[in-house]
Amino acid sequence: NIFHGKWIRLEDAGYAVGARVLELLCHRDKGNRRETRLLGILSFVHSTVWKVLFGKVADSLEKGTEHEDEYMISEKDLLVNKYISIPKDMGTFNCGAFVAGIVRGVLDGAGFPAVVTAHFVPMEGLQRPRTTILIKFAEEVGTTRLLL
Amino acid sequence: MAAIYSLYIINKSGGLIFYKDYGSKGRMDTNDSLRVASLWHSMHAISQQLSPTNGCSGIELLEADTFDLHCFQSLTGTKYFVVCETGTQHMEALLKVIYELYTDYVLKNPFYEMEMPIRCELFDINLTQAIQKDRVALLGR
């Protein structure tokens, strides 16, 4: 897939933003307190980070049903996808990869490494598919939770 | 009932970048629509020279026996014009709406190449909605 390269670059650009957003918000909004719980950091991304980036909290935060340590943040009208029509020959490319990178940057910097990807999910009654940011936490995150 | 026959968008060089017809009146095949586009582009340019007043920006309205043609030119030279039934109201406002849809769904699309034909799904979807809303509003009066 010749566009795989573009996806990687877009995602990496997002990662750089995420790392910095985490530093900024920890200092500004959380009084330099560090989040140590999984649900805490997810809620932080879903509300605080989203509010700063997009002016609103994310539409939904859900736990994945198929696998452990999979979570999904969904947005009906993600800002980076709002005005962009993907050409037919680009297949499954999703500009939400930028936001996926931001989330990965935040989670990585906070000590919760994860693989984060963006997907279009068609919804009943919605003209456009909604964008879902899929977060799959690395194994060490799971073991840390057990130890706590 | 007032109706829109067709919509054209031409780039600053006179090339047709978007064409859509609504109904069989005024429907054109590809070659004819391209010709109409460059014809209009030339007429529009000539009218600026012919105008007896200074600072004329070109034809905004052409009224014929069987149709009206409303044209809006943006500051960048892109022209948006509709061919519609005689006496159709509020076409200037509709053209402005279409201009805004162009800036949102065509210009904000990084995959769109400037001055090239518009192939943006979101533009088509929102354009259809805008025309529908316009039709409904007209019917309601």
PDB file of all heavy atoms in Angstrom, chain A residues 6 81-88 90 93 95 127-128, chain B residues 104-106 108-111 119-123 125 129:
ATOM      1  N   LYS A   6       2.472   7.528   4.022  1.00  0.00           N
ATOM      2  CA  LYS A   6       1.808   8.778   4.412  1.00  0.00           C
ATOM      3  C   LYS A   6       1.162   8.605   5.775  1.00  0.00           C
ATOM      4  O   LYS A   6       1.180   9.491   6.609  1.00  0.00           O
ATOM      5  CB  LYS A   6       0.718   9.132   3.391  1.00  0.00           C
ATOM      6  CG  LYS A   6       1.231   9.809   2.153  1.00  0.00           C
ATOM      7  CD  LYS A   6       0.097  10.565   1.461  1.00  0.00           C
ATOM      8  CE  LYS A   6       0.566  11.327   0.250  1.00  0.00           C
ATOM      9  NZ  LYS A   6       0.823  10.493  -0.925  1.00  0.00           N
ATOM     10  N   ASN A  81     -11.418  14.872  10.059  1.00  0.00           N
ATOM     11  CA  ASN A  81     -12.125  14.188   8.979  1.00  0.00           C
ATOM     12  C   ASN A  81     -13.307  14.971   8.449  1.00  0.00           C
ATOM     13  O   ASN A  81     -13.909  14.592   7.455  1.00  0.00           O
ATOM     14  CB  ASN A  81     -12.628  12.813   9.455  1.00  0.00           C
ATOM     15  CG  ASN A  81     -11.509  11.793   9.476  1.00  0.00           C
ATOM     16  OD1 ASN A  81     -10.566  11.879   8.717  1.00  0.00           O
ATOM     17  ND2 ASN A  81     -11.625  10.815  10.350  1.00  0.00           N
ATOM     18  N   LYS A  82     -13.615  16.081   9.152  1.00  0.00           N
ATOM     19  CA  LYS A  82     -14.864  16.774   8.869  1.00  0.00           C
ATOM     20  C   LYS A  82     -14.964  17.285   7.433  1.00  0.00           C
ATOM     21  O   LYS A  82     -16.018  17.213   6.806  1.00  0.00           O
ATOM     22  CB  LYS A  82     -15.001  17.954   9.831  1.00  0.00           C
ATOM     23  CG  LYS A  82     -16.360  18.575   9.828  1.00  0.00           C
ATOM     24  CD  LYS A  82     -16.555  19.499  11.006  1.00  0.00           C
ATOM     25  CE  LYS A  82     -17.880  20.226  10.819  1.00  0.00           C
ATOM     26  NZ  LYS A  82     -18.279  20.947  11.982  1.00  0.00           N
ATOM     27  N   TYR A  83     -13.884  17.807   6.894  1.00  0.00           N
ATOM     28  CA  TYR A  83     -13.957  18.425   5.562  1.00  0.00           C
ATOM     29  C   TYR A  83     -13.237  17.627   4.492  1.00  0.00           C
ATOM     30  O   TYR A  83     -13.173  18.039   3.350  1.00  0.00           O
ATOM     31  CB  TYR A  83     -13.361  19.834   5.607  1.00  0.00           C
ATOM     32  CG  TYR A  83     -14.065  20.737   6.586  1.00  0.00           C
ATOM     33  CD1 TYR A  83     -13.441  21.133   7.763  1.00  0.00           C
ATOM     34  CD2 TYR A  83     -15.359  21.174   6.341  1.00  0.00           C
ATOM     35  CE1 TYR A  83     -14.088  21.945   8.670  1.00  0.00           C
ATOM     36  CE2 TYR A  83     -16.012  21.984   7.240  1.00  0.00           C
ATOM     37  CZ  TYR A  83     -15.379  22.378   8.398  1.00  0.00           C
ATOM     38  OH  TYR A  83     -16.017  23.173   9.284  1.00  0.00           O
ATOM     39  N   ILE A  84     -12.682  16.474   4.881  1.00  0.00           N
ATOM     40  CA  ILE A  84     -11.840  15.744   3.943  1.00  0.00           C
ATOM     41  C   ILE A  84     -12.595  14.570   3.330  1.00  0.00           C
ATOM     42  O   ILE A  84     -13.120  13.725   4.038  1.00  0.00           O
ATOM     43  CB  ILE A  84     -10.549  15.259   4.641  1.00  0.00           C
ATOM     44  CG1 ILE A  84      -9.778  16.465   5.179  1.00  0.00           C
ATOM     45  CG2 ILE A  84      -9.689  14.455   3.686  1.00  0.00           C
ATOM     46  CD1 ILE A  84      -8.498  16.102   5.891  1.00  0.00           C
ATOM     47  N   SER A  85     -12.628  14.511   2.000  1.00  0.00           N
ATOM     48  CA  SER A  85     -13.194  13.368   1.287  1.00  0.00           C
ATOM     49  C   SER A  85     -12.027  12.519   0.809  1.00  0.00           C
ATOM     50  O   SER A  85     -11.217  12.976   0.019  1.00  0.00           O
ATOM     51  CB  SER A  85     -14.011  13.822   0.076  1.00  0.00           C
ATOM     52  OG  SER A  85     -14.831  14.910   0.385  1.00  0.00           O
ATOM     53  N   ILE A  86     -11.953  11.282   1.299  1.00  0.00           N
ATOM     54  CA  ILE A  86     -10.849  10.411   0.893  1.00  0.00           C
ATOM     55  C   ILE A  86     -11.098   9.947  -0.540  1.00  0.00           C
ATOM     56  O   ILE A  86     -12.183   9.430  -0.832  1.00  0.00           O
ATOM     57  CB  ILE A  86     -10.765   9.170   1.814  1.00  0.00           C
ATOM     58  CG1 ILE A  86     -10.763   9.582   3.276  1.00  0.00           C
ATOM     59  CG2 ILE A  86      -9.560   8.326   1.465  1.00  0.00           C
ATOM     60  CD1 ILE A  86      -9.465  10.100   3.789  1.00  0.00           C
ATOM     61  N   PRO A  87     -10.120  10.133  -1.464  1.00  0.00           N
ATOM     62  CA  PRO A  87     -10.305   9.641  -2.826  1.00  0.00           C
ATOM     63  C   PRO A  87     -10.498   8.129  -2.817  1.00  0.00           C
ATOM     64  O   PRO A  87      -9.941   7.432  -1.984  1.00  0.00           O
ATOM     65  CB  PRO A  87      -8.991  10.007  -3.532  1.00  0.00           C
ATOM     66  CG  PRO A  87      -8.338  11.004  -2.680  1.00  0.00           C
ATOM     67  CD  PRO A  87      -8.822  10.786  -1.288  1.00  0.00           C
ATOM     68  N   LYS A  88     -11.302   7.644  -3.780  1.00  0.00           N
ATOM     69  CA  LYS A  88     -11.633   6.220  -3.795  1.00  0.00           C
ATOM     70  C   LYS A  88     -10.401   5.326  -3.861  1.00  0.00           C
ATOM     71  O   LYS A  88     -10.358   4.255  -3.264  1.00  0.00           O
ATOM     72  CB  LYS A  88     -12.522   5.887  -5.018  1.00  0.00           C
ATOM     73  CG  LYS A  88     -13.866   6.566  -5.013  1.00  0.00           C
ATOM     74  CD  LYS A  88     -14.860   5.828  -4.111  1.00  0.00           C
ATOM     75  CE  LYS A  88     -16.251   6.374  -4.226  1.00  0.00           C
ATOM     76  NZ  LYS A  88     -16.448   7.666  -3.555  1.00  0.00           N
ATOM     77  N   MET A  90      -7.672   5.551  -2.482  1.00  0.00           N
ATOM     78  CA  MET A  90      -6.835   5.502  -1.292  1.00  0.00           C
ATOM     79  C   MET A  90      -7.364   4.505  -0.277  1.00  0.00           C
ATOM     80  O   MET A  90      -6.826   4.395   0.816  1.00  0.00           O
ATOM     81  CB  MET A  90      -6.722   6.897  -0.663  1.00  0.00           C
ATOM     82  CG  MET A  90      -5.839   7.789  -1.501  1.00  0.00           C
ATOM     83  SD  MET A  90      -5.449   9.307  -0.666  1.00  0.00           S
ATOM     84  CE  MET A  90      -4.257   8.720   0.506  1.00  0.00           C
ATOM     85  N   PHE A  93      -7.521   4.584   3.978  1.00  0.00           N
ATOM     86  CA  PHE A  93      -6.739   5.627   4.632  1.00  0.00           C
ATOM     87  C   PHE A  93      -7.656   6.527   5.446  1.00  0.00           C
ATOM     88  O   PHE A  93      -8.737   6.891   4.999  1.00  0.00           O
ATOM     89  CB  PHE A  93      -6.001   6.443   3.571  1.00  0.00           C
ATOM     90  CG  PHE A  93      -5.102   7.492   4.140  1.00  0.00           C
ATOM     91  CD1 PHE A  93      -3.886   7.147   4.685  1.00  0.00           C
ATOM     92  CD2 PHE A  93      -5.471   8.823   4.144  1.00  0.00           C
ATOM     93  CE1 PHE A  93      -3.045   8.117   5.220  1.00  0.00           C
ATOM     94  CE2 PHE A  93      -4.638   9.793   4.679  1.00  0.00           C
ATOM     95  CZ  PHE A  93      -3.424   9.436   5.215  1.00  0.00           C
ATOM     96  N   CYS A  95      -7.604  10.073   7.861  1.00  0.00           N
ATOM     97  CA  CYS A  95      -6.828  11.190   8.399  1.00  0.00           C
ATOM     98  C   CYS A  95      -6.901  11.246   9.915  1.00  0.00           C
ATOM     99  O   CYS A  95      -6.148  11.999  10.545  1.00  0.00           O
ATOM    100  CB  CYS A  95      -7.302  12.512   7.800  1.00  0.00           C
ATOM    101  SG  CYS A  95      -7.007  12.591   6.035  1.00  0.00           S
ATOM    102  N   GLN A 127     -25.370   9.807   8.321  1.00  0.00           N
ATOM    103  CA  GLN A 127     -25.010   9.857   6.912  1.00  0.00           C
ATOM    104  C   GLN A 127     -23.561   9.471   6.694  1.00  0.00           C
ATOM    105  O   GLN A 127     -23.224   8.794   5.748  1.00  0.00           O
ATOM    106  CB  GLN A 127     -25.252  11.271   6.387  1.00  0.00           C
ATOM    107  CG  GLN A 127     -25.087  11.350   4.882  1.00  0.00           C
ATOM    108  CD  GLN A 127     -25.797  12.566   4.336  1.00  0.00           C
ATOM    109  OE1 GLN A 127     -25.569  13.677   4.794  1.00  0.00           O
ATOM    110  NE2 GLN A 127     -26.671  12.360   3.384  1.00  0.00           N
ATOM    111  N   ARG A 128     -22.700   9.963   7.603  1.00  0.00           N
ATOM    112  CA  ARG A 128     -21.287   9.659   7.486  1.00  0.00           C
ATOM    113  C   ARG A 128     -20.878   8.679   8.570  1.00  0.00           C
ATOM    114  O   ARG A 128     -21.440   8.708   9.661  1.00  0.00           O
ATOM    115  CB  ARG A 128     -20.474  10.936   7.658  1.00  0.00           C
ATOM    116  CG  ARG A 128     -20.744  11.994   6.628  1.00  0.00           C
ATOM    117  CD  ARG A 128     -19.671  13.034   6.733  1.00  0.00           C
ATOM    118  NE  ARG A 128     -18.364  12.420   6.517  1.00  0.00           N
ATOM    119  CZ  ARG A 128     -17.223  12.960   6.915  1.00  0.00           C
ATOM    120  NH1 ARG A 128     -17.214  14.087   7.554  1.00  0.00           N
ATOM    121  NH2 ARG A 128     -16.082  12.350   6.681  1.00  0.00           N
TER     122      ARG A 128
ATOM    123  N   ASP B 104     -15.342  24.936   2.222  1.00  0.00           N
ATOM    124  CA  ASP B 104     -15.277  23.938   3.285  1.00  0.00           C
ATOM    125  C   ASP B 104     -14.840  22.569   2.773  1.00  0.00           C
ATOM    126  O   ASP B 104     -13.900  21.980   3.282  1.00  0.00           O
ATOM    127  CB  ASP B 104     -16.645  23.795   3.960  1.00  0.00           C
ATOM    128  CG  ASP B 104     -16.858  24.828   5.063  1.00  0.00           C
ATOM    129  OD1 ASP B 104     -15.857  25.415   5.508  1.00  0.00           O
ATOM    130  OD2 ASP B 104     -18.009  25.032   5.468  1.00  0.00           O
ATOM    131  N   TYR B 105     -15.531  22.053   1.766  1.00  0.00           N
ATOM    132  CA  TYR B 105     -15.346  20.642   1.418  1.00  0.00           C
ATOM    133  C   TYR B 105     -14.426  20.397   0.229  1.00  0.00           C
ATOM    134  O   TYR B 105     -14.074  19.264  -0.042  1.00  0.00           O
ATOM    135  CB  TYR B 105     -16.707  19.988   1.184  1.00  0.00           C
ATOM    136  CG  TYR B 105     -17.569  20.014   2.431  1.00  0.00           C
ATOM    137  CD1 TYR B 105     -18.669  20.852   2.523  1.00  0.00           C
ATOM    138  CD2 TYR B 105     -17.248  19.231   3.523  1.00  0.00           C
ATOM    139  CE1 TYR B 105     -19.431  20.899   3.676  1.00  0.00           C
ATOM    140  CE2 TYR B 105     -18.003  19.270   4.683  1.00  0.00           C
ATOM    141  CZ  TYR B 105     -19.095  20.106   4.749  1.00  0.00           C
ATOM    142  OH  TYR B 105     -19.848  20.156   5.888  1.00  0.00           O
ATOM    143  N   VAL B 106     -14.035  21.457  -0.477  1.00  0.00           N
ATOM    144  CA  VAL B 106     -13.091  21.265  -1.573  1.00  0.00           C
ATOM    145  C   VAL B 106     -11.728  21.836  -1.176  1.00  0.00           C
ATOM    146  O   VAL B 106     -10.701  21.156  -1.239  1.00  0.00           O
ATOM    147  CB  VAL B 106     -13.597  21.950  -2.869  1.00  0.00           C
ATOM    148  CG1 VAL B 106     -12.605  21.769  -3.985  1.00  0.00           C
ATOM    149  CG2 VAL B 106     -14.947  21.381  -3.265  1.00  0.00           C
ATOM    150  N   LYS B 108     -10.620  22.692   1.811  1.00  0.00           N
ATOM    151  CA  LYS B 108     -10.034  22.149   3.038  1.00  0.00           C
ATOM    152  C   LYS B 108      -9.655  20.682   2.875  1.00  0.00           C
ATOM    153  O   LYS B 108      -9.264  20.019   3.822  1.00  0.00           O
ATOM    154  CB  LYS B 108     -11.019  22.306   4.210  1.00  0.00           C
ATOM    155  CG  LYS B 108     -11.171  23.734   4.654  1.00  0.00           C
ATOM    156  CD  LYS B 108     -12.144  23.854   5.829  1.00  0.00           C
ATOM    157  CE  LYS B 108     -12.440  25.311   6.115  1.00  0.00           C
ATOM    158  NZ  LYS B 108     -13.507  25.481   7.113  1.00  0.00           N
ATOM    159  N   ASN B 109      -9.799  20.169   1.669  1.00  0.00           N
ATOM    160  CA  ASN B 109      -9.452  18.786   1.392  1.00  0.00           C
ATOM    161  C   ASN B 109      -8.018  18.740   0.866  1.00  0.00           C
ATOM    162  O   ASN B 109      -7.751  19.244  -0.222  1.00  0.00           O
ATOM    163  CB  ASN B 109     -10.419  18.217   0.358  1.00  0.00           C
ATOM    164  CG  ASN B 109     -10.230  16.743   0.114  1.00  0.00           C
ATOM    165  OD1 ASN B 109      -9.269  16.149   0.572  1.00  0.00           O
ATOM    166  ND2 ASN B 109     -11.149  16.148  -0.630  1.00  0.00           N
ATOM    167  N   PRO B 110      -7.077  18.141   1.614  1.00  0.00           N
ATOM    168  CA  PRO B 110      -5.686  18.136   1.160  1.00  0.00           C
ATOM    169  C   PRO B 110      -5.468  17.297  -0.092  1.00  0.00           C
ATOM    170  O   PRO B 110      -4.462  17.448  -0.768  1.00  0.00           O
ATOM    171  CB  PRO B 110      -4.931  17.531   2.345  1.00  0.00           C
ATOM    172  CG  PRO B 110      -5.939  16.761   3.096  1.00  0.00           C
ATOM    173  CD  PRO B 110      -7.244  17.465   2.903  1.00  0.00           C
ATOM    174  N   PHE B 111      -6.447  16.447  -0.434  1.00  0.00           N
ATOM    175  CA  PHE B 111      -6.298  15.606  -1.622  1.00  0.00           C
ATOM    176  C   PHE B 111      -6.788  16.296  -2.887  1.00  0.00           C
ATOM    177  O   PHE B 111      -6.667  15.752  -3.978  1.00  0.00           O
ATOM    178  CB  PHE B 111      -7.052  14.279  -1.432  1.00  0.00           C
ATOM    179  CG  PHE B 111      -6.579  13.505  -0.244  1.00  0.00           C
ATOM    180  CD1 PHE B 111      -7.405  13.328   0.859  1.00  0.00           C
ATOM    181  CD2 PHE B 111      -5.310  12.979  -0.207  1.00  0.00           C
ATOM    182  CE1 PHE B 111      -6.969  12.638   1.966  1.00  0.00           C
ATOM    183  CE2 PHE B 111      -4.864  12.283   0.898  1.00  0.00           C
ATOM    184  CZ  PHE B 111      -5.695  12.111   1.988  1.00  0.00           C
ATOM    185  N   ARG B 119     -13.705  16.314  -7.261  1.00  0.00           N
ATOM    186  CA  ARG B 119     -14.192  14.942  -7.021  1.00  0.00           C
ATOM    187  C   ARG B 119     -14.198  14.697  -5.516  1.00  0.00           C
ATOM    188  O   ARG B 119     -13.459  13.886  -4.993  1.00  0.00           O
ATOM    189  CB  ARG B 119     -13.261  13.914  -7.676  1.00  0.00           C
ATOM    190  CG  ARG B 119     -13.129  14.058  -9.154  1.00  0.00           C
ATOM    191  CD  ARG B 119     -13.137  12.750  -9.907  1.00  0.00           C
ATOM    192  NE  ARG B 119     -12.746  12.958 -11.289  1.00  0.00           N
ATOM    193  CZ  ARG B 119     -13.472  13.612 -12.182  1.00  0.00           C
ATOM    194  NH1 ARG B 119     -14.637  14.108 -11.831  1.00  0.00           N
ATOM    195  NH2 ARG B 119     -13.039  13.775 -13.414  1.00  0.00           N
ATOM    196  N   CYS B 120     -15.007  15.509  -4.806  1.00  0.00           N
ATOM    197  CA  CYS B 120     -15.062  15.397  -3.354  1.00  0.00           C
ATOM    198  C   CYS B 120     -16.456  14.972  -2.937  1.00  0.00           C
ATOM    199  O   CYS B 120     -17.421  15.714  -3.119  1.00  0.00           O
ATOM    200  CB  CYS B 120     -14.727  16.740  -2.700  1.00  0.00           C
ATOM    201  SG  CYS B 120     -13.117  17.367  -3.184  1.00  0.00           S
ATOM    202  N   GLU B 121     -16.524  13.780  -2.374  1.00  0.00           N
ATOM    203  CA  GLU B 121     -17.811  13.201  -1.985  1.00  0.00           C
ATOM    204  C   GLU B 121     -18.597  14.128  -1.072  1.00  0.00           C
ATOM    205  O   GLU B 121     -19.796  14.324  -1.236  1.00  0.00           O
ATOM    206  CB  GLU B 121     -17.533  11.882  -1.266  1.00  0.00           C
ATOM    207  CG  GLU B 121     -18.641  10.885  -1.321  1.00  0.00           C
ATOM    208  CD  GLU B 121     -18.296   9.657  -0.493  1.00  0.00           C
ATOM    209  OE1 GLU B 121     -17.140   9.211  -0.553  1.00  0.00           O
ATOM    210  OE2 GLU B 121     -19.186   9.186   0.217  1.00  0.00           O
ATOM    211  N   LEU B 122     -17.896  14.715  -0.078  1.00  0.00           N
ATOM    212  CA  LEU B 122     -18.580  15.558   0.899  1.00  0.00           C
ATOM    213  C   LEU B 122     -19.182  16.792   0.246  1.00  0.00           C
ATOM    214  O   LEU B 122     -20.239  17.282   0.661  1.00  0.00           O
ATOM    215  CB  LEU B 122     -17.613  15.970   2.013  1.00  0.00           C
ATOM    216  CG  LEU B 122     -17.291  14.858   3.005  1.00  0.00           C
ATOM    217  CD1 LEU B 122     -16.256  15.325   3.998  1.00  0.00           C
ATOM    218  CD2 LEU B 122     -18.545  14.414   3.729  1.00  0.00           C
ATOM    219  N   PHE B 123     -18.487  17.318  -0.784  1.00  0.00           N
ATOM    220  CA  PHE B 123     -19.023  18.481  -1.484  1.00  0.00           C
ATOM    221  C   PHE B 123     -20.341  18.104  -2.162  1.00  0.00           C
ATOM    222  O   PHE B 123     -21.333  18.831  -2.055  1.00  0.00           O
ATOM    223  CB  PHE B 123     -18.014  18.992  -2.510  1.00  0.00           C
ATOM    224  CG  PHE B 123     -18.491  20.179  -3.305  1.00  0.00           C
ATOM    225  CD1 PHE B 123     -18.643  21.417  -2.699  1.00  0.00           C
ATOM    226  CD2 PHE B 123     -18.795  20.060  -4.655  1.00  0.00           C
ATOM    227  CE1 PHE B 123     -19.091  22.513  -3.417  1.00  0.00           C
ATOM    228  CE2 PHE B 123     -19.237  21.153  -5.378  1.00  0.00           C
ATOM    229  CZ  PHE B 123     -19.386  22.379  -4.759  1.00  0.00           C
ATOM    230  N   ILE B 125     -22.439  15.655  -1.424  1.00  0.00           N
ATOM    231  CA  ILE B 125     -23.487  15.379  -0.436  1.00  0.00           C
ATOM    232  C   ILE B 125     -24.084  16.671   0.093  1.00  0.00           C
ATOM    233  O   ILE B 125     -25.304  16.853   0.125  1.00  0.00           O
ATOM    234  CB  ILE B 125     -22.921  14.541   0.732  1.00  0.00           C
ATOM    235  CG1 ILE B 125     -22.558  13.139   0.249  1.00  0.00           C
ATOM    236  CG2 ILE B 125     -23.920  14.454   1.868  1.00  0.00           C
ATOM    237  CD1 ILE B 125     -21.803  12.313   1.262  1.00  0.00           C
ATOM    238  N   GLN B 129     -27.865  18.561  -0.376  1.00  0.00           N
ATOM    239  CA  GLN B 129     -28.677  19.003   0.765  1.00  0.00           C
ATOM    240  C   GLN B 129     -29.066  20.469   0.649  1.00  0.00           C
ATOM    241  O   GLN B 129     -30.204  20.859   0.923  1.00  0.00           O
ATOM    242  CB  GLN B 129     -27.903  18.802   2.066  1.00  0.00           C
ATOM    243  CG  GLN B 129     -27.967  17.391   2.573  1.00  0.00           C
ATOM    244  CD  GLN B 129     -27.188  17.206   3.854  1.00  0.00           C
ATOM    245  OE1 GLN B 129     -26.608  18.155   4.371  1.00  0.00           O
ATOM    246  NE2 GLN B 129     -27.163  16.002   4.356  1.00  0.00           N
TER     247      GLN B 129
END
